[in-house]
Amino acid sequence: VQLQASGGGLVQAGGSLRLSCAASGRTFSNYGWFRQAPGKEREFVAGITWTSRSYYLQSVKGRFTISRDNAKNTVYLQMNSLKPEDTAVYYCAATTAWGTFTFNGEYDYWGQGTLVTVSS
């Protein structure tokens, strides 16, 4: 089982990026995106269920959109109106459990992380 995240990079404030995370080896019911800024703990950003119900960290609502393509076993995070405080390593995570999950320990599989840097 592997999660491969991609799409990070350097962008100016107000810009956009789309992260992708391709899963292989099995099908997952739920995906999540987390991020970890330097010197800070990893935090939940967005999650999506099998039926594409989505939920978000309050500070990214209206700017970020999580989506999934079940046929491709891929989850996406569209990030618009990026701010310098969004700078972090972003990780995708997955679980076969059913429900909504916002804590690290609720996810069983993790991608390697992709760096997003937002300049002011």
Side-chain angles (χ1 to χ4, degrees):
V1 176
Q2 187 176 16
L3 299 178
Q4 185 69 40
S6 61
L10 173 64
V11 64
Q12 289 188 332
S16 298
L17 281 175
R18 189 175 85 151
L19 306 183
S20 300
C21 178
S24 59
R26 70 179 306 166
T27 300
F28 294 100
S29 54
N30 283 270
Y31 289 100
W33 285 99
F34 288 74
R35 66 187 181 188
Q36 188 165 18
K40 295 187 177 181
E41 294 187 352
R42 190 174 299 187
E43 67 174 353
F44 169 81
V45 175
I48 189 166
T49 67
W50 177 259
T51 57
S52 292
R53 175 189 171 192
S54 58
Y55 44 104
Y56 300 91
L57 175 70
Q58 183 64 38
S59 63
V60 308
K61 280 184 179 179
R63 299 189 298 121
F64 291 11
T65 302
I66 188 172
S67 61
R68 63 188 294 168
D69 184 334
N70 291 336
K72 295 182 179 179
N73 271 355
T74 300
V75 62
Y76 306 96
L77 185 68
Q78 178 67 43
M79 305 185 295
N80 298 330
S81 301
L82 282 161
K83 304 176 180 180
E85 52 263 44
D86 295 318
T87 294
V89 177
Y90 283 71
Y91 298 89
C92 60
T95 177
T96 56
W98 296 89
T100 58
F101 308 103
T102 60
F103 294 100
N104 292 348
E106 294 176 313
Y107 289 86
D108 304 306
Y109 301 94
W110 290 83
Q112 83 285 8
T114 184
L115 177 62
V116 172
T117 303
V118 184
S119 63
S120 56

